[in-house]
Amino acid sequence: QVQVVESGGGSVQAGGSLRLSCRASGYTYCMAWFRQSPGKERERVALIFTGGGTSSQVADAVKGRFTISQDNAPNTMSMQMNSLKPEDTAKYYCAASARWNGCTVFADGYTYWGQGTQVTVSS
């Protein structure tokens, strides 16, 4: 069983920055960040392919502000969040899939999940 562990998050004022990191204990084909706020569905924020390439995608809502990148260690990645807005407030989850067809925008495609880390942006 692959374990996924997140770190980072916290509270910041609007316009500030935070960095989230995630490490998986086994092989991953892709890793992603999802976020969920109360009353809303879990949405994918960013995706990076870790199983042989380094291509990545970010959601339109965070494009130009969030950057996802693979770290030096295998199956680890980080997301730099700049120019944070109050609407970015949510619990952020790291997800991973060992299968290429699990790397979708939908949460149910991902097999492995972290516990989540809270990001709070105040105005």
Side-chain angles (χ1 to χ4, degrees):
Q1 182 75 0
V2 175
Q3 304 296 319
V4 174
V5 179
E6 305 118 335
S7 61
S11 297
V12 67
Q13 288 192 327
S17 299
L18 287 170
R19 186 176 184 86
L20 303 181
S21 295
C22 179
R23 175 178 55 84
S25 63
Y27 172 79
T28 61
Y29 188 85
C30 65
M31 298 177 74
W33 288 103
F34 282 76
R35 67 185 181 186
Q36 188 169 25
S37 50
K40 293 189 177 181
E41 291 190 359
R42 195 170 290 193
E43 64 170 344
R44 196 184 76 183
V45 176
L47 166 76
I48 189 163
F49 290 95
T50 50
T54 58
S55 61
S56 62
Q57 303 169 10
V58 294
D60 288 344
V62 303
K63 197 165 291 183
R65 300 187 297 120
F66 291 12
T67 304
I68 188 170
S69 60
Q70 190 169 3
D71 295 342
N72 288 334
N75 305 303
T76 62
M77 59 89 166
S78 297
M79 183 167 69
Q80 179 67 36
M81 304 185 294
N82 298 328
S83 302
L84 282 160
K85 304 176 180 180
E87 51 263 44
D88 295 318
T89 295
K91 195 163 187 179
Y92 284 70
Y93 297 87
C94 179
S97 175
R99 302 174 295 111
W100 67 269
N101 58 353
C103 304
T104 71
V105 297
F106 302 109
D108 60 6
Y110 297 82
T111 306
Y112 310 112
W113 289 85
Q115 294 298 309
T117 184
Q118 181 67 34
V119 170
T120 302
V121 185
S122 57
S123 57

